[in-house]
Amino acid sequence: MDVILRPTPKKAVSLVVRLIEETLKEKPAACLGLATGRTMEAVYAALVERSRKGAVDLSSCRFFALDEYIGLGPSDERSYHHYLHHHLFDPLGVSPENITLLNGLSGDHAGAAREYERAISNAGGIDLQLLGLGKNGHMGFNEPGSSLRSRTRDVILAEETLAQNAAMFGGDPQDVPPMAITMGVETILESKRCLMLVTGTSKQPALAATVEGPVTEMVTASALQLHPDCIVIADEAAGGKLDRMEDFRSKALRDPTWAARIENENQPR
Ligand code: GLP
């Protein structure tokens, strides 16, 4: 696991965008796995901006969503279907045939999950899986107690998650859909590269547990420690509880590959 701390959320986002662009340079028709949530909004805004400038071309990419609430349809503004269209697909003008999303309205969740796994595998697997981090250490909606061998499936959301996401549902955790469908931990770990972005002080304990704690199903993001090509980019606010904070902060300067990536990050690219 490569952990890099950047001084500000903006710099962390800029580094994530650079890594996405590296993947696309290598493989223009890459399969991208997409996380949702507030953290990722800045990444998608930057990608849209870079695409408008002609600096990146996502027209041949294929896109897969990480998770979805059960019971919310595509036109519901709180669904991840709507989120991804609003923040990324519509501004980029992505062709519908390049988009595969989880269906929150399927009456047959097990069947929809199997079909989703098949679609990922038929596309040749996910090349780059973008991930956010829940306050309880979840990735996707793999809540504490999810098997590290879990596949795409329907899940019951944890209380902390209902509270964390209540703001998008008018503020009351009771109004958040209680169930979701999510890629499993093992499904995520099969991605060729995982790229997690974590910002803000509220994620300090979860980030420390993910990066420096034991691999445990109580913190499903800790399973990323087992992935051979996982990058975690965080801002210093999120890294405040890491024992190795200093090392993760200076690594980008000591390692020539990372140093090249952050060079000129303040200049318009
Ligand atoms: C949510 C989603 C995740 C997301 C994470 C972080 O519950 N299921 O896909 O990455 O939690 O969300 P945020 O960026 O809003 O903190």
Side-chain angles (χ1 to χ4, degrees):
M1 185 184 263
D2 234 347
V3 183
I4 300 291
L5 288 190
R6 302 299 298 133
T8 62
K10 206 167 166 204
K11 289 189 175 185
V13 166
S14 152
L15 189 51
V16 167
V17 171
R18 181 170 282 261
L19 288 161
I20 297 170
E21 290 181 10
E22 278 180 22
T23 297
L24 297 179
K25 207 173 259 179
E26 213 169 279
K27 187 173 178 185
C31 283
L32 299 186
L34 302 175
T36 51
R38 284 151 289 189
T39 314
M40 285 297 158
E41 287 177 15
V43 171
Y44 300 144
L47 272 181
V48 168
E49 178 66 22
R50 297 275 296 155
S51 161
R52 282 199 179 124
K53 284 187 183 156
V56 62
D57 178 9
L58 293 116
S59 60
S60 17
C61 280
R62 278 156 309 157
F63 300 95
F64 289 84
L66 181 62
D67 48 19
E68 180 59 283
Y69 289 106
I70 286 179
L72 300 191
S75 59
D76 191 312
E77 290 191 359
R78 301 156 312 171
S79 70
Y80 289 158
H81 188 114
H82 183 274
Y83 172 107
L84 288 171
H85 273 273
H86 175 76
H87 290 289
L88 195 65
F89 302 149
D90 296 350
L92 286 179
V94 176
S95 319
E97 69 263 23
N98 288 347
I99 302 172
T100 312
L101 302 180
L102 283 155
N103 181 359
L105 290 182
S106 160
D108 170 17
H109 304 311
R114 269 197 306 277
E115 204 179 295
Y116 201 68
E117 292 269 347
R118 235 186 340 262
I120 293 174
S121 142
N122 289 344
I126 306 274
D127 293 293
L128 180 66
Q129 176 64 56
L130 301 179
L131 295 164
L133 180 63
K135 281 190 201 159
N136 66 2
H138 74 203
M139 55 177 178
F141 272 133
N142 291 288
E143 301 289 32
S146 297
S147 164
L148 303 186
R149 304 291 310 275
S150 56
R151 312 290 314 182
T152 303
R153 71 206 184 288
D154 55 317
V155 292
I156 303 197
L157 298 180
E159 286 198 357
E160 312 88 78
T161 300
L162 301 179
Q164 187 188 329
N165 293 352
M168 278 79 77
F169 293 84
D172 187 346
Q174 293 209 3
D175 292 333
V176 181
M179 290 186 73
I181 180 160
T182 182
M183 277 190 199
V185 176
E186 192 171 64
T187 317
I188 292 169
L189 293 184
E190 282 170 7
S191 309
K192 283 158 211 146
R193 169 175 277 182
C194 289
L195 176 55
M196 176 172 267
L197 173 64
V198 189
T199 58
T201 48
S202 69
K203 302 284 176 70
Q204 284 181 354
L207 181 62
T210 297
V211 170
E212 296 179 332
V215 174
T216 165
E217 61 178 38
M218 288 300 129
V219 179
T220 55
S222 67
L224 292 172
Q225 293 175 28
L226 303 172
H227 195 285
D229 186 0
C230 172
I231 299 170
V232 177
I233 309 286
D235 69 347
E236 287 182 7
K241 281 203 163 52
L242 291 166
D243 289 340
R244 300 187 60 77
M245 182 176 184
E246 223 17 84
D247 187 50
F248 296 143
R249 184 158 43 193
S250 60
K251 190 171 175 190
L253 304 171
R254 285 179 284 113
D255 177 327
T257 309
W258 284 107
R261 284 172 173 147
I262 62 171
E263 207 181 35
N264 304 324
E265 70 185 347
N266 288 326
Q267 271 141 49
R269 287 195 281 134

Coordinates of all heavy atoms in Angstrom, one line a residue, residues 2 36 43-44 63 74 142-143 150 157 163 175 213 234 244 254-255 259 261 267 269:
D2 N 0.6 2.1 -1.0 CA 1.4 3.3 -1.1 C 0.5 4.5 -0.5 O -0.5 4.8 -1.0 CB 1.6 3.7 -2.6 CG 3.1 3.8 -2.9 OD1 3.9 4.0 -2.0 OD2 3.4 3.9 -4.1
T36 N -18.8 7.1 -5.1 CA -19.6 8.4 -5.0 C -19.2 9.1 -3.6 O -18.1 8.8 -3.1 CB -21.1 8.0 -5.0 OG1 -21.3 7.0 -4.1 CG2 -21.5 7.5 -6.4
V43 N -13.0 15.5 -7.5 CA -12.3 14.7 -8.5 C -13.0 14.7 -9.8 O -12.4 15.0 -10.9 CB -12.1 13.2 -8.0 CG1 -11.5 12.3 -9.2 CG2 -11.2 13.2 -6.8
Y44 N -14.3 14.5 -9.8 CA -15.1 14.5 -11.0 C -15.2 15.9 -11.6 O -15.1 16.0 -12.8 CB -16.5 13.9 -10.7 CG -16.4 12.4 -10.2 CD1 -17.3 11.9 -9.3 CD2 -15.4 11.6 -10.7 CE1 -17.2 10.6 -8.8 CE2 -15.3 10.3 -10.2 CZ -16.2 9.8 -9.2 OH -16.1 8.5 -8.8
F63 N -17.3 2.6 -17.5 CA -17.5 3.0 -16.1 C -18.4 2.0 -15.4 O -19.5 1.6 -15.9 CB -18.1 4.4 -16.1 CG -17.3 5.4 -16.8 CD1 -17.6 5.8 -18.1 CD2 -16.3 6.1 -16.1 CE1 -16.8 6.8 -18.7 CE2 -15.6 7.1 -16.7 CZ -15.8 7.4 -18.1
P74 N -33.2 5.7 -10.8 CA -32.3 6.6 -11.5 C -32.6 8.1 -11.5 O -31.8 8.9 -11.4 CB -32.3 6.1 -13.0 CG -32.9 4.8 -12.9 CD -33.7 4.7 -11.7
N142 N -19.5 -1.8 2.1 CA -19.1 -3.0 2.9 C -18.9 -2.6 4.3 O -17.8 -2.2 4.8 CB -17.8 -3.6 2.3 CG -18.0 -4.2 0.9 OD1 -18.6 -5.2 0.8 ND2 -17.6 -3.5 -0.1
E143 N -19.9 -2.8 5.1 CA -20.0 -2.4 6.5 C -19.2 -3.3 7.4 O -18.8 -4.4 7.0 CB -21.4 -2.3 6.9 CG -22.3 -1.4 6.1 CD -22.1 0.1 6.4 OE1 -20.9 0.4 6.6 OE2 -23.0 0.9 6.3
S150 N -16.2 -11.2 0.4 CA -17.6 -10.9 -0.1 C -17.5 -10.5 -1.6 O -16.6 -9.8 -2.0 CB -18.3 -9.9 0.8 OG -17.5 -8.7 0.8
L157 N -27.3 -1.3 5.9 CA -26.4 -0.3 6.2 C -26.2 -0.1 7.8 O -27.2 -0.3 8.5 CB -26.8 1.1 5.6 CG -26.8 1.1 4.1 CD1 -27.3 2.4 3.6 CD2 -25.5 0.7 3.5
A163 N -26.1 7.8 9.7 CA -25.9 9.1 10.2 C -24.9 9.9 9.3 O -25.2 11.1 9.0 CB -25.2 9.0 11.6
D175 N -34.4 8.6 7.4 CA -34.8 8.8 6.0 C -33.9 8.3 5.0 O -34.1 8.3 3.8 CB -35.1 10.3 5.8 CG -36.3 10.8 6.5 OD1 -37.2 10.0 6.9 OD2 -36.3 12.0 6.9
G213 N -3.8 -0.3 10.9 CA -4.4 -1.3 11.8 C -4.3 -2.7 11.2 O -3.8 -2.8 10.1
A234 N -4.3 11.0 0.8 CA -5.1 11.7 1.8 C -4.5 13.1 2.1 O -3.3 13.4 1.7 CB -5.0 10.9 3.2
R244 N 2.7 7.0 11.3 CA 3.8 7.3 10.3 C 3.5 8.5 9.5 O 4.0 8.7 8.3 CB 4.0 6.1 9.4 CG 4.4 4.8 10.2 CD 4.7 3.7 9.3 NE 5.8 4.0 8.4 CZ 7.1 4.0 8.7 NH1 7.4 3.7 10.0 NH2 8.0 4.2 7.9
R254 N 10.7 12.3 -1.4 CA 11.9 11.4 -1.5 C 11.9 10.5 -2.7 O 12.9 10.0 -3.1 CB 11.9 10.6 -0.2 CG 12.4 11.4 1.0 CD 12.5 10.6 2.3 NE 11.1 10.4 2.8 CZ 10.5 9.2 2.9 NH1 11.1 8.1 2.5 NH2 9.3 9.1 3.4
D255 N 10.7 10.2 -3.1 CA 10.5 9.2 -4.2 C 10.4 9.9 -5.5 O 9.5 10.7 -5.7 CB 9.3 8.3 -3.9 CG 9.0 7.3 -4.9 OD1 9.3 7.5 -6.1 OD2 8.4 6.2 -4.6
A259 N 7.6 12.5 -6.7 CA 8.0 13.9 -6.9 C 7.7 14.4 -8.2 O 7.2 15.5 -8.3 CB 9.5 13.9 -6.6
R261 N 5.2 13.4 -10.0 CA 3.7 13.6 -10.1 C 3.2 14.9 -9.4 O 2.2 15.4 -9.9 CB 3.0 12.4 -9.4 CG 3.1 11.1 -10.3 CD 2.5 10.0 -9.5 NE 2.4 8.8 -10.3 CZ 2.6 7.5 -9.9 NH1 2.9 7.3 -8.6 NH2 2.5 6.5 -10.7
Q267 N 0.5 24.7 -11.0 CA 0.3 25.4 -12.3 C -0.8 24.8 -13.0 O -1.0 23.6 -13.0 CB 1.6 25.3 -13.1 CG 2.6 26.4 -12.8 CD 4.0 26.0 -12.8 OE1 4.4 25.3 -13.7 NE2 4.7 26.3 -11.7
R269 N -2.7 23.0 -15.6 CA -2.1 22.0 -16.6 C -2.9 22.0 -17.8 O -4.1 22.4 -17.8 CB -2.2 20.6 -15.9 CG -1.1 20.4 -14.9 CD -0.9 19.0 -14.5 NE -1.9 18.5 -13.6 CZ -2.5 17.3 -13.7 NH1 -2.3 16.6 -14.8 NH2 -3.4 17.0 -12.9

